Amino acid sequence: MTTASNLPLEPIADAGDNAVPALRPPARRKPPIAQVLFGTIGNTLLTLATAAILLAAVPRLIQWGVLDSVWTATDGSACREASGACWAFLRAKFRQIIFGIYPPDQQWRPLLAVTMLFCVILYSLPPRNWNRFLVFLWCIAVACFMVLMQGGVLGLTLVPTAYWGGLPVTLILAVSALGIGFPFGVILALGRRSALPVPRLLSVGLIEVIRGLPLVSLLFMSSIMLPIMLPEGLTIDKLARAGVALTIFSAAYLAEVVRGGLQAIPEGQAEAARALGLSWVDTIRQVILPQAIQKVIPPLTNTVIVMVKNTALVLVVGLFDLLSSGKAALADPSWPSPFAETYLFIAMIYFVICFGISRYSLYLERRAAAGQVR
Protein backbone atom coordinates (compact mmCIF):
# COMPACT_ATOMS: atom_id res chain seq x y z
CA MET A 1 0.00 0.00 0.00
CA THR A 2 1.28 3.40 -0.91
CA THR A 3 1.52 5.86 1.94
CA ALA A 4 2.00 9.59 1.96
CA SER A 5 5.63 9.11 2.95
CA ASN A 6 6.27 6.90 -0.11
CA LEU A 7 4.90 9.43 -2.63
CA PRO A 8 7.51 11.20 -4.78
CA LEU A 9 8.14 14.75 -3.73
CA GLU A 10 7.83 17.51 -6.33
CA PRO A 11 10.88 19.75 -6.61
CA ILE A 12 10.40 23.18 -5.15
CA ALA A 13 11.18 26.02 -7.50
CA ASP A 14 13.99 28.37 -6.50
CA ALA A 15 13.09 31.87 -5.48
CA GLY A 16 15.53 33.26 -8.00
CA ASP A 17 15.46 33.18 -11.79
CA ASN A 18 13.64 29.82 -11.80
CA ALA A 19 10.64 31.13 -9.85
CA VAL A 20 7.33 30.58 -11.62
CA PRO A 21 5.76 33.93 -12.51
CA ALA A 22 2.31 34.68 -11.17
CA LEU A 23 -0.40 34.05 -13.73
CA ARG A 24 -3.02 36.67 -14.44
CA PRO A 25 -6.66 35.62 -14.14
CA PRO A 26 -8.34 34.76 -17.45
CA ALA A 27 -10.05 37.68 -19.12
CA ARG A 28 -13.82 37.70 -19.07
CA ARG A 29 -15.25 36.88 -22.47
CA LYS A 30 -17.98 39.27 -23.55
CA PRO A 31 -20.70 37.93 -25.81
CA PRO A 32 -21.12 39.56 -29.23
CA ILE A 33 -23.43 42.57 -29.33
CA ALA A 34 -25.70 40.79 -31.82
CA GLN A 35 -26.18 37.94 -29.37
CA VAL A 36 -26.99 40.37 -26.58
CA LEU A 37 -29.58 42.24 -28.66
CA PHE A 38 -31.12 39.34 -30.60
CA GLY A 39 -29.93 36.19 -28.87
CA THR A 40 -33.34 35.24 -27.47
CA ILE A 41 -36.94 36.03 -28.29
CA GLY A 42 -37.23 38.25 -25.23
CA ASN A 43 -34.08 40.20 -26.08
CA THR A 44 -35.28 40.62 -29.68
CA LEU A 45 -38.66 41.98 -28.58
CA LEU A 46 -37.03 44.40 -26.11
CA THR A 47 -34.57 45.58 -28.76
CA LEU A 48 -37.33 46.19 -31.31
CA ALA A 49 -39.53 47.99 -28.76
CA THR A 50 -36.64 50.23 -27.67
CA ALA A 51 -35.78 51.02 -31.29
CA ALA A 52 -39.41 51.94 -32.02
CA ILE A 53 -39.57 54.27 -29.01
CA LEU A 54 -36.31 55.95 -30.00
CA LEU A 55 -37.42 56.39 -33.60
CA ALA A 56 -40.61 58.05 -32.41
CA ALA A 57 -39.07 60.26 -29.70
CA VAL A 58 -35.64 61.31 -30.95
CA PRO A 59 -36.80 63.23 -34.06
CA ARG A 60 -39.31 65.20 -31.98
CA LEU A 61 -36.69 65.97 -29.35
CA ILE A 62 -34.28 67.19 -32.02
CA GLN A 63 -37.01 69.31 -33.56
CA TRP A 64 -37.93 70.82 -30.19
CA GLY A 65 -34.48 71.15 -28.67
CA VAL A 66 -32.37 72.12 -31.71
CA LEU A 67 -34.20 73.05 -34.88
CA ASP A 68 -37.07 75.15 -33.47
CA SER A 69 -35.30 76.36 -30.32
CA VAL A 70 -34.32 79.90 -29.38
CA TRP A 71 -30.68 80.28 -28.33
CA THR A 72 -30.24 84.05 -28.08
CA ALA A 73 -32.80 86.62 -26.97
CA THR A 74 -32.85 89.70 -24.74
CA ASP A 75 -36.39 89.03 -23.47
CA GLY A 76 -39.11 86.41 -23.70
CA SER A 77 -40.89 87.72 -26.80
CA ALA A 78 -38.91 85.49 -29.14
CA CYS A 79 -39.59 82.45 -26.98
CA ARG A 80 -43.33 83.12 -26.94
CA GLU A 81 -43.44 83.02 -30.71
CA ALA A 82 -41.23 79.92 -31.06
CA SER A 83 -42.47 76.34 -30.83
CA GLY A 84 -39.17 74.93 -29.60
CA ALA A 85 -37.07 75.15 -26.48
CA CYS A 86 -36.14 78.50 -24.96
CA TRP A 87 -32.45 78.00 -24.19
CA ALA A 88 -32.02 81.79 -24.17
CA PHE A 89 -33.75 81.78 -20.80
CA LEU A 90 -30.97 79.66 -19.32
CA ARG A 91 -28.36 82.03 -20.72
CA ALA A 92 -30.14 85.02 -19.22
CA LYS A 93 -30.85 83.38 -15.84
CA PHE A 94 -27.73 81.22 -15.51
CA ARG A 95 -26.22 83.20 -12.64
CA GLN A 96 -29.50 83.34 -10.76
CA ILE A 97 -30.00 79.59 -11.07
CA ILE A 98 -26.45 78.79 -9.97
CA PHE A 99 -26.06 81.42 -7.23
CA GLY A 100 -29.67 82.24 -6.28
CA ILE A 101 -30.35 85.70 -4.89
CA TYR A 102 -26.75 86.25 -3.81
CA PRO A 103 -25.83 89.92 -4.57
CA PRO A 104 -24.82 90.04 -8.25
CA ASP A 105 -21.77 92.24 -7.65
CA GLN A 106 -20.46 89.70 -5.07
CA GLN A 107 -21.09 86.50 -7.01
CA TRP A 108 -17.38 85.98 -7.56
CA ARG A 109 -17.28 84.82 -3.95
CA PRO A 110 -19.63 81.81 -4.32
CA LEU A 111 -17.90 81.00 -7.62
CA LEU A 112 -14.53 80.91 -5.85
CA ALA A 113 -16.00 78.96 -2.92
CA VAL A 114 -17.56 76.29 -5.16
CA THR A 115 -14.37 75.98 -7.21
CA MET A 116 -12.31 75.53 -4.05
CA LEU A 117 -14.72 72.89 -2.75
CA PHE A 118 -14.58 70.95 -6.02
CA CYS A 119 -10.77 71.08 -5.97
CA VAL A 120 -10.69 69.61 -2.46
CA ILE A 121 -13.15 66.91 -3.51
CA LEU A 122 -10.96 65.97 -6.49
CA TYR A 123 -7.88 65.90 -4.24
CA SER A 124 -9.72 63.58 -1.84
CA LEU A 125 -10.52 60.94 -4.47
CA PRO A 126 -7.17 59.05 -4.70
CA PRO A 127 -6.85 56.65 -1.73
CA ARG A 128 -3.20 57.64 -1.33
CA ASN A 129 -4.41 61.03 -0.04
CA TRP A 130 -6.49 59.54 2.78
CA ASN A 131 -4.50 60.72 5.78
CA ARG A 132 -4.68 63.20 8.62
CA PHE A 133 -3.67 66.05 6.34
CA LEU A 134 -6.85 65.48 4.35
CA VAL A 135 -8.97 66.02 7.46
CA PHE A 136 -7.09 69.24 8.16
CA LEU A 137 -7.51 70.31 4.53
CA TRP A 138 -11.27 69.75 4.68
CA CYS A 139 -11.55 71.80 7.87
CA ILE A 140 -9.65 74.65 6.22
CA ALA A 141 -11.72 74.37 3.03
CA VAL A 142 -15.06 74.48 4.87
CA ALA A 143 -13.87 77.43 6.99
CA CYS A 144 -12.76 79.33 3.86
CA PHE A 145 -16.06 78.47 2.19
CA MET A 146 -18.02 79.97 5.08
CA VAL A 147 -15.82 83.07 5.18
CA LEU A 148 -16.21 83.67 1.46
CA MET A 149 -19.96 83.16 1.52
CA GLN A 150 -20.71 84.99 4.80
CA GLY A 151 -18.18 87.80 4.61
CA GLY A 152 -17.99 90.43 7.33
CA VAL A 153 -14.22 89.91 7.69
CA LEU A 154 -11.14 90.62 5.57
CA GLY A 155 -12.95 93.50 3.89
CA LEU A 156 -15.70 91.27 2.49
CA THR A 157 -19.26 92.57 2.53
CA LEU A 158 -21.52 90.76 4.98
CA VAL A 159 -24.05 88.54 3.17
CA PRO A 160 -26.51 86.76 5.52
CA THR A 161 -27.41 83.15 4.80
CA ALA A 162 -30.90 84.30 3.79
CA TYR A 163 -29.29 85.56 0.55
CA TRP A 164 -27.38 82.35 -0.15
CA GLY A 165 -28.73 80.05 -2.81
CA GLY A 166 -28.14 77.77 -5.74
CA LEU A 167 -25.30 75.33 -6.12
CA PRO A 168 -23.24 76.56 -3.11
CA VAL A 169 -26.09 75.77 -0.71
CA THR A 170 -26.62 72.34 -2.26
CA LEU A 171 -22.92 71.50 -2.00
CA ILE A 172 -22.36 72.72 1.55
CA LEU A 173 -25.47 70.91 2.82
CA ALA A 174 -24.43 67.66 1.13
CA VAL A 175 -20.82 67.90 2.27
CA SER A 176 -21.69 68.75 5.87
CA ALA A 177 -24.44 66.11 6.11
CA LEU A 178 -22.19 63.35 4.77
CA GLY A 179 -18.88 64.51 6.25
CA ILE A 180 -20.26 64.90 9.77
CA GLY A 181 -22.94 62.22 9.48
CA PHE A 182 -20.55 59.41 8.52
CA PRO A 183 -18.47 59.43 11.75
CA PHE A 184 -21.67 59.65 13.80
CA GLY A 185 -23.09 56.79 11.73
CA VAL A 186 -20.05 54.65 12.53
CA ILE A 187 -20.45 55.42 16.24
CA LEU A 188 -24.14 54.53 16.12
CA ALA A 189 -23.38 51.27 14.28
CA LEU A 190 -20.77 50.30 16.86
CA GLY A 191 -23.12 51.28 19.67
CA ARG A 192 -25.93 49.16 18.22
CA ARG A 193 -23.62 46.11 18.17
CA SER A 194 -22.21 46.82 21.62
CA ALA A 195 -22.67 44.31 24.45
CA LEU A 196 -23.29 47.18 26.86
CA PRO A 197 -27.03 47.83 27.25
CA VAL A 198 -26.97 51.63 27.57
CA PRO A 199 -25.11 52.50 24.33
CA ARG A 200 -26.99 49.75 22.49
CA LEU A 201 -30.42 50.98 23.57
CA LEU A 202 -29.55 54.62 22.87
CA SER A 203 -28.22 53.77 19.41
CA VAL A 204 -31.19 51.58 18.54
CA GLY A 205 -33.65 54.21 19.75
CA LEU A 206 -32.05 57.06 17.81
CA ILE A 207 -31.65 55.04 14.60
CA GLU A 208 -35.19 53.68 14.61
CA VAL A 209 -36.80 57.02 15.46
CA ILE A 210 -34.92 58.91 12.74
CA ARG A 211 -35.45 56.20 10.12
CA GLY A 212 -39.14 56.09 11.00
CA LEU A 213 -39.64 59.79 10.24
CA PRO A 214 -39.67 61.41 6.79
CA LEU A 215 -36.93 63.95 6.16
CA VAL A 216 -39.50 66.66 5.52
CA SER A 217 -40.81 66.33 9.09
CA LEU A 218 -37.28 66.61 10.47
CA LEU A 219 -36.71 69.75 8.41
CA PHE A 220 -39.95 71.26 9.68
CA MET A 221 -39.08 70.41 13.29
CA SER A 222 -35.60 71.91 12.98
CA SER A 223 -36.82 75.05 11.19
CA ILE A 224 -40.13 75.73 12.97
CA MET A 225 -40.33 73.80 16.25
CA LEU A 226 -36.72 74.24 17.37
CA PRO A 227 -36.83 78.09 17.52
CA ILE A 228 -39.98 77.83 19.64
CA MET A 229 -38.28 75.50 22.14
CA LEU A 230 -35.12 77.61 22.43
CA PRO A 231 -34.77 80.18 25.24
CA GLU A 232 -35.81 83.71 24.42
CA GLY A 233 -33.09 85.65 22.65
CA LEU A 234 -31.27 82.53 21.42
CA THR A 235 -31.56 81.90 17.68
CA ILE A 236 -29.95 79.46 15.27
CA ASP A 237 -29.50 80.22 11.61
CA LYS A 238 -32.02 78.51 9.30
CA LEU A 239 -29.29 77.05 7.10
CA ALA A 240 -27.56 75.59 10.16
CA ARG A 241 -30.82 74.07 11.41
CA ALA A 242 -31.42 72.42 8.04
CA GLY A 243 -27.84 71.15 8.04
CA VAL A 244 -28.32 69.57 11.48
CA ALA A 245 -31.51 67.81 10.32
CA LEU A 246 -29.78 66.45 7.21
CA THR A 247 -26.77 65.33 9.26
CA ILE A 248 -28.88 63.41 11.78
CA PHE A 249 -30.89 61.83 8.98
CA SER A 250 -27.79 60.73 7.06
CA ALA A 251 -26.12 59.42 10.24
CA ALA A 252 -29.06 57.10 10.97
CA TYR A 253 -29.08 55.64 7.47
CA LEU A 254 -25.30 55.36 7.24
CA ALA A 255 -25.28 53.58 10.61
CA GLU A 256 -27.43 50.76 9.25
CA VAL A 257 -25.22 50.42 6.18
CA VAL A 258 -22.06 50.25 8.29
CA ARG A 259 -23.74 47.78 10.69
CA GLY A 260 -24.36 45.46 7.76
CA GLY A 261 -20.64 45.54 6.96
CA LEU A 262 -19.71 44.90 10.59
CA GLN A 263 -21.93 41.83 10.69
CA ALA A 264 -20.17 40.42 7.63
CA ILE A 265 -16.77 40.39 9.37
CA PRO A 266 -15.97 37.01 11.01
CA GLU A 267 -15.45 37.09 14.76
CA GLY A 268 -12.03 35.54 14.23
CA GLN A 269 -10.73 38.85 12.88
CA ALA A 270 -11.28 40.59 16.22
CA GLU A 271 -9.93 37.59 18.12
CA ALA A 272 -6.75 37.56 16.03
CA ALA A 273 -6.28 41.29 16.59
CA ARG A 274 -6.67 40.89 20.35
CA ALA A 275 -4.21 37.98 20.27
CA LEU A 276 -1.68 40.32 18.65
CA GLY A 277 -2.13 42.76 21.54
CA LEU A 278 -4.18 45.40 19.76
CA SER A 279 -6.55 47.48 21.87
CA TRP A 280 -10.28 47.65 21.12
CA VAL A 281 -9.89 51.03 19.43
CA ASP A 282 -6.99 49.84 17.26
CA THR A 283 -8.86 46.66 16.40
CA ILE A 284 -11.88 48.61 15.20
CA ARG A 285 -9.86 51.27 13.41
CA GLN A 286 -7.22 49.11 11.73
CA VAL A 287 -8.86 45.70 11.29
CA ILE A 288 -12.65 45.72 11.46
CA LEU A 289 -13.77 49.03 9.94
CA PRO A 290 -11.61 48.90 6.77
CA GLN A 291 -12.98 45.46 5.91
CA ALA A 292 -16.55 46.39 6.84
CA ILE A 293 -16.58 49.55 4.72
CA GLN A 294 -15.02 47.69 1.81
CA LYS A 295 -17.90 45.20 1.87
CA VAL A 296 -20.62 47.89 1.82
CA ILE A 297 -19.33 50.25 -0.85
CA PRO A 298 -22.44 49.81 -3.10
CA PRO A 299 -25.03 50.59 -0.36
CA LEU A 300 -22.83 53.42 0.94
CA THR A 301 -22.78 54.90 -2.56
CA ASN A 302 -26.54 54.61 -2.79
CA THR A 303 -26.96 56.45 0.53
CA VAL A 304 -24.55 59.20 -0.54
CA ILE A 305 -26.42 59.75 -3.81
CA VAL A 306 -29.77 59.82 -2.01
CA MET A 307 -28.47 62.42 0.46
CA VAL A 308 -27.16 64.63 -2.36
CA LYS A 309 -30.60 64.59 -3.96
CA ASN A 310 -32.37 65.03 -0.61
CA THR A 311 -30.81 68.48 -0.26
CA ALA A 312 -33.52 69.65 -2.68
CA LEU A 313 -36.09 69.13 0.11
CA VAL A 314 -34.84 72.21 1.96
CA LEU A 315 -37.12 74.08 -0.45
CA VAL A 316 -40.03 73.33 1.92
CA VAL A 317 -38.40 75.39 4.69
CA GLY A 318 -37.59 78.37 2.49
CA LEU A 319 -33.94 77.75 1.64
CA PHE A 320 -32.80 78.61 -1.89
CA ASP A 321 -30.92 75.54 -3.00
CA LEU A 322 -30.30 74.73 -6.66
CA LEU A 323 -33.89 73.64 -7.29
CA SER A 324 -35.34 76.62 -5.40
CA SER A 325 -33.19 79.04 -7.38
CA GLY A 326 -34.48 77.54 -10.61
CA LYS A 327 -38.09 77.95 -9.48
CA ALA A 328 -37.39 81.54 -8.45
CA ALA A 329 -35.91 82.30 -11.88
CA LEU A 330 -39.08 80.98 -13.54
CA ALA A 331 -41.12 83.63 -11.72
CA ASP A 332 -39.83 86.41 -14.00
CA PRO A 333 -42.93 87.70 -15.89
CA SER A 334 -40.87 88.90 -18.86
CA TRP A 335 -40.16 85.28 -19.82
CA PRO A 336 -42.68 82.54 -20.71
CA SER A 337 -41.58 80.29 -17.80
CA PRO A 338 -39.79 77.50 -19.70
CA PHE A 339 -40.16 74.81 -17.02
CA ALA A 340 -38.87 71.92 -19.13
CA GLU A 341 -35.63 73.64 -20.09
CA THR A 342 -34.94 74.83 -16.53
CA TYR A 343 -35.60 71.48 -14.88
CA LEU A 344 -33.60 69.66 -17.55
CA PHE A 345 -30.64 71.92 -16.78
CA ILE A 346 -30.95 71.34 -13.03
CA ALA A 347 -31.40 67.60 -13.57
CA MET A 348 -28.23 67.56 -15.67
CA ILE A 349 -26.25 69.11 -12.79
CA TYR A 350 -27.59 66.54 -10.34
CA PHE A 351 -26.91 63.76 -12.83
CA VAL A 352 -23.29 64.82 -13.34
CA ILE A 353 -22.68 64.87 -9.58
CA CYS A 354 -24.45 61.57 -8.86
CA PHE A 355 -23.00 59.79 -11.91
CA GLY A 356 -19.52 60.89 -10.85
CA ILE A 357 -20.13 59.42 -7.38
CA SER A 358 -21.32 56.11 -8.85
CA ARG A 359 -18.30 55.83 -11.17
CA TYR A 360 -15.95 56.59 -8.30
CA SER A 361 -17.57 53.83 -6.22
CA LEU A 362 -16.99 51.38 -9.08
CA TYR A 363 -13.33 52.39 -9.09
CA LEU A 364 -13.13 51.71 -5.34
CA GLU A 365 -14.82 48.33 -5.80
CA ARG A 366 -12.37 47.29 -8.52
CA ARG A 367 -9.44 48.49 -6.45
CA ALA A 368 -10.64 46.58 -3.39
CA ALA A 369 -11.20 43.42 -5.40
CA ALA A 370 -7.86 43.58 -7.24
CA GLY A 371 -6.06 41.61 -4.54
CA GLN A 372 -8.81 39.02 -4.19
CA VAL A 373 -9.08 37.84 -7.82
CA ARG A 374 -7.69 34.34 -8.30
Side-chain angles (χ1 to χ4, degrees):
M1 182 177 64
T2 304
T3 61
S5 59
N6 296 329
L7 294 175
L9 299 178
E10 296 291 337
I12 301 176
D14 296 334
D17 297 334
N18 296 327
V20 178
L23 298 179
R24 299 181 62 86
R28 296 181 59 184
R29 299 181 61 182
K30 297 182 179 180
I33 187 65
Q35 181 180 349
V36 174
L37 297 177
F38 305 101
T40 63
I41 296 178
N43 288 357
T44 303
L45 293 177
L46 288 175
T47 301
L48 294 177
T50 303
I53 294 174
L54 292 176
L55 288 175
V58 170
R60 295 186 180 182
L61 289 176
I62 294 176
Q63 187 74 26
W64 174 80
V66 179
L67 301 180
D68 296 338
S69 61
V70 178
W71 295 92
T72 58
T74 56
D75 54 31
S77 58
C79 291
R80 290 189 179 92
E81 299 172 357
S83 59
C86 182
W87 303 119
F89 175 81
L90 296 180
R91 297 185 61 179
K93 299 294 183 180
F94 177 80
R95 295 174 65 180
Q96 182 177 353
I97 296 174
I98 296 297
F99 302 123
I101 57 175
Y102 205 89
D105 60 328
Q106 298 292 320
Q107 287 181 357
W108 63 270
R109 290 159 53 180
L111 175 61
L112 180 59
V114 169
T115 303
M116 177 189 63
L117 209 57
F118 272 119
C119 290
V120 177
I121 291 174
L122 293 177
Y123 177 81
S124 306
L125 297 183
R128 64 176 180 272
N129 295 334
W130 297 351
N131 48 39
R132 295 181 179 179
F133 173 74
L134 184 61
V135 178
F136 173 77
L137 181 63
W138 267 107
C139 294
I140 296 298
V142 172
C144 293
F145 181 95
M146 299 303 294
V147 169
L148 282 171
M149 294 294 296
Q150 181 81 23
V153 295
L154 302 177
L156 298 175
T157 305
L158 178 64
V159 180
T161 56
Y163 292 91
W164 297 14
L167 186 60
V169 170
T170 297
L171 286 179
I172 194 61
L173 287 176
V175 167
S176 60
L178 294 170
I180 303 175
F182 184 76
F184 278 104
V186 172
I187 294 173
L188 288 174
L190 294 174
R192 185 160 189 169
R193 288 178 51 82
S194 174
L196 301 176
V198 174
R200 184 176 68 253
L201 292 176
L202 290 176
S203 299
V204 170
L206 180 60
I207 291 173
E208 295 303 329
V209 168
I210 298 301
R211 292 176 72 236
L213 295 173
L215 179 57
V216 174
S217 65
L218 293 177
L219 291 171
F220 271 118
M221 291 177 61
S222 64
S223 298
I224 298 174
M225 298 301 297
L226 184 59
I228 298 176
M229 295 184 291
L230 291 176
E232 186 177 356
L234 179 61
T235 60
I236 301 178
D237 185 80
K238 183 185 292 187
L239 182 64
R241 296 198 299 267
V244 170
L246 288 170
T247 300
I248 296 175
F249 188 81
S250 67
Y253 278 83
L254 290 170
E256 287 298 278
V257 175
V258 175
R259 184 171 70 92
L262 293 175
Q263 290 179 338
I265 304 301
E267 185 63 28
Q269 296 286 324
E271 294 175 357
R274 287 194 295 268
L276 292 174
L278 294 179
S279 64
W280 181 85
V281 175
D282 289 335
T283 299
I284 295 297
R285 184 172 61 88
Q286 300 181 18
V287 179
I288 304 300
L289 270 183
Q291 298 182 72
I293 294 175
Q294 175 182 325
K295 291 180 179 296
V296 294
I297 290 177
L300 272 179
T301 304
N302 181 65
T303 305
V304 170
I305 291 176
V306 168
M307 287 307 304
V308 170
K309 294 186 292 185
N310 277 347
T311 56
L313 293 177
V314 299
L315 167 65
V316 300
V317 293
L319 290 176
F320 283 87
D321 69 309
L322 185 60
L323 183 61
S324 308
S325 299
K327 293 189 67 175
L330 289 169
D332 190 345
S334 61
W335 291 88
S337 298
F339 289 94
E341 296 87 328
T342 304
Y343 289 133
L344 279 174
F345 175 67
I346 296 173
M348 182 190 67
I349 296 176
Y350 277 108
F351 174 78
V352 169
I353 295 174
C354 296
F355 183 74
I357 295 172
S358 66
R359 300 306 300 177
Y360 177 65
S361 71
L362 291 177
Y363 159 74
L364 292 180
E365 288 184 59
R366 289 193 298 267
R367 183 178 182 274
Q372 301 177 6
V373 177
R374 295 291 184 266

